[in-house]
Amino acid sequence: QQQVKQSPQSLIVQKGGISIINCAYENTAFDYFPWYQQFPGKGPALLIAIRPDVSEKKEGRFTISFNKSAKQFSLHIMDSQPGDSATYFCAALNTGNQFYFGTGTSLTVIP
Amino acid sequence: GAVVSQHPSRVICKSGTSVKIECRSLDFQATTMFWYRQFPKQSLMLMATSNEGSKATYEQGVEKDKFLINHASLTLSTLTVTSAHPEDSSFYICSARDVQGHSYEQYFGPGTRLTVT
């Protein structure tokens, strides 16, 4: 059973556009929600993360929106650049110290 | 800060041999380390969780006798794939957490590409 559901599976965005990736979860025991960026042949790297006590967190061009009542969170990449082309994973951490990952979104930013 | 290294980055071995992959936290104490396996265009699959000084906890379906994990120090964990077969070919990624530092985050290594011929 997929604990964290991620969509879309792939996304193509024009340079300068906004990329939006969505995740949903069911387990209310999750209390930490990170996003990772992974380039081919590399390990994932932390991009931005949020705790459920805030509804939004922004770092540069990257913003997480968090809706606790809907149990959904999303990543917004503003002014998307070709260098942002990568696979993005959302994740959730439960109080039992275990991370659950989404299935990943392959983002392609067209110049 | 929070750098995790893996060695080797790529390894090719013959079927039936064993391969050891090292995971090191370079600038923090990793009280907990995780080992993941990733197939092409798929998400990370957690194989096992190891805490320094204790036996690893394996996920369901992961053969503990085939994937030996040792977390002997606060900066080093090793994964040994024993009697490797072509179906073990995959991208193996470790991550580390400083649980005692009350950090939520896990930091990933760069991964090891294992090819079994």
Side-chain angles (χ1 to χ4, degrees), chain A residues 2 9 31-32 34 36 38 41-46 49 51 89 91 93 97-99 101-104, chain B residues 32 34 36 38 41-44 46 49 51 59 91 93 97 99 104-111 113:
Chain A
Q2 189 71 30
Q9 185 176 357
D31 64 354
Y32 179 72
Y36 297 93
Q38 185 179 27
K42 305 294 184 184
L46 176 66
R51 301 265 340 260
F89 293 97
L93 174 67
N97 192 34
Q98 185 165 1
F99 282 84
F101 287 87
T103 49
Chain B
T32 302
F34 304 90
Y36 295 88
Q38 188 177 36
K41 299 189 184 300
Q42 293 192 21
S43 189
L44 292 85
L46 180 65
T49 302
N51 293 297
E59 294 300 302
F91 192 51
I93 309 172
R97 287 187 72 193
V99 180
Y104 284 91
E105 195 42 63
Q106 63 175 327
Y107 299 96
F108 287 90
R113 173 74 59 192

Side-chain angles (χ1 to χ4, degrees), chain B residues 2-24:
Chain B
V3 178
V4 176
S5 70
Q6 269 184 254
H7 178 80
S9 57
R10 290 177 177 270
V11 59
I12 301 173
C13 70
K14 292 187 182 297
S15 186
T17 61
S18 295
V19 173
K20 180 184 284 189
I21 302 169
E22 292 188 348
C23 177
R24 293 181 185 273

Side-chain angles (χ1 to χ4, degrees), chain B residues 52-65:
Chain B
E52 184 265 340
S54 60
K55 289 186 178 181
T57 302
Y58 290 81
E59 294 300 302
Q60 192 172 6
V62 178
E63 299 176 59
K64 58 183 67 176
D65 293 332

Side-chain angles (χ1 to χ4, degrees), chain B residues 13-117:
Chain B
C13 70
K14 292 187 182 297
S15 186
T17 61
S18 295
V19 173
K20 180 184 284 189
I21 302 169
E22 292 188 348
C23 177
R24 293 181 185 273
S25 58
L26 300 184
D27 52 3
F28 67 100
Q29 293 187 332
T31 48
T32 302
M33 285 185 166
F34 304 90
W35 286 94
Y36 295 88
R37 185 172 179 177
Q38 188 177 36
F39 292 101
K41 299 189 184 300
Q42 293 192 21
S43 189
L44 292 85
M45 182 187 78
L46 180 65
M47 298 175 65
T49 302
S50 72
N51 293 297
E52 184 265 340
S54 60
K55 289 186 178 181
T57 302
Y58 290 81
E59 294 300 302
Q60 192 172 6
V62 178
E63 299 176 59
K64 58 183 67 176
D65 293 332
K66 181 168 188 60
F67 299 99
L68 302 179
I69 292 171
N70 184 284
H71 190 166
S73 78
L74 285 171
T75 59
L76 173 65
S77 176
T78 60
L79 167 67
T80 302
V81 182
T82 62
S83 186
H85 291 284
E87 57 264 31
D88 299 324
S89 298
S90 191
F91 192 51
Y92 292 88
I93 309 172
C94 71
S95 71
R97 287 187 72 193
D98 177 14
V99 180
Q100 290 184 350
H102 305 291
S103 169
Y104 284 91
E105 195 42 63
Q106 63 175 327
Y107 299 96
F108 287 90
T112 296
R113 173 74 59 192
L114 170 63
T115 303
V116 185
T117 61

Side-chain angles (χ1 to χ4, degrees), chain A residues 25 28 52 66-72:
Chain A
Y25 64 97
T28 56
F66 187 83
N67 186 329
K68 188 174 181 178
S69 60
K71 290 185 275 187
Q72 295 176 347

